[in-house]
Amino acid sequence: MRTADARGARILDQRRLPWEVVWVELRDAPTVARAIREMWTRGAPLLAMTGAYGLAMALADDPSDANLIASRAMLNATRPTAVNLCWALDEIAAAVRPLPVEQRAEAAFARADAIVEEDVCLSRAIGEHGLSLLRALHVNHPDRPLNILTHCNAGWLATADYGTATAPMYMAHDAGLPLHIWVDETRPRNQGALLTAFELSEHGIAHTVITDNAGGHLIQRGQVDAVIVGADRVTANGDVCNKIGTYLKALAAHDNGVPFYVALPHTTFDAATASGDLIPIEERSGDEVTWVEGEGGRVRITRSSAANPAFDVTPARLVTGYITERGVLARP
């Protein structure tokens, strides 16, 4: 992720996928903030890593306490819902505050590097625990592939490697467990259709892209064995904030007795927030709804105004379990 001179970061421009693979070099904190806000990079764990490097870049330019405070606030304001970003910025701040100003930039970059390495380990552990879960589910249907439904993108494009919700899928596929993944398109930005489908194709996992509204129908017809999603924040009582549309899948799963699992590392758990109704829900531009991006470019689909809440909250009572680096838990 670091640039050759170790004072910047390289990210994959996710706006160009799956049509083009384009890497972008980030050299200063304002550009990092723009990349996060405009979703050149996205996914709660990856936002944390990108933000951590952004704060390190800011300290390389000006290691003063005043710039530390101002740059942290600027980066944290870019995406208010996912808690991982705030966590990573706090980690960088805690690492550098006790140090002389001349040592701060180096320490910040070192802590950002460590966050990346930690994320790989967390995702791997989530995958291993999730694999055990999928093996147990497959015992109920040994004569056919296991059908998993997922929403948005919580794969290696959203983390340093493996992903969260997709980590068990990759490990199950590599272990020879037959799988088929239903991939929600995830309007309005289509992270499922564009990113998750791209990932699964690259890994050779059988999958089908569906409209967001088709999930309940498939669950009702017995064509989904489990739902596995990622999360942007899980509160102290177990409420799950994730990409808009997740709540509807949880309702359908609960109504039909289908297990609904949330995959997350500890960096997504927000013990300081009691419940989901206290989470700030990001409202993004209506243009993301009224326009769509495709291989041929950008197309307007309506001239009406549009509302665009980016996340919803699934109550803990609808969650079967949480797939974490410590195991599959009934509560965080």
Side-chain angles (χ1 to χ4, degrees), residues 133-158:
L133 182 67
L134 295 185
R135 287 188 191 279
L137 288 171
H138 185 57
V139 169
N140 299 323
H141 309 284
D143 57 337
R144 61 165 175 80
L146 195 62
N147 287 300
I148 306 297
L149 187 148
T150 193
H151 187 71
C152 198
N153 175 256
W156 57 262
L157 286 168

Side-chain angles (χ1 to χ4, degrees), residues 133-198:
L133 182 67
L134 295 185
R135 287 188 191 279
L137 288 171
H138 185 57
V139 169
N140 299 323
H141 309 284
D143 57 337
R144 61 165 175 80
L146 195 62
N147 287 300
I148 306 297
L149 187 148
T150 193
H151 187 71
C152 198
N153 175 256
W156 57 262
L157 286 168
T159 63
D161 200 5
Y162 295 102
T164 55
T166 57
M169 303 173 198
Y170 292 139
M171 291 191 176
H173 174 80
D174 293 346
L177 197 70
L179 290 177
H180 170 262
I181 313 301
W182 296 110
V183 180
D184 276 354
E185 61 181 345
T186 323
R187 284 279 291 148
R189 293 194 64 96
N190 294 321
Q191 294 99 322
L194 298 177
L195 303 181
T196 301
F198 171 78

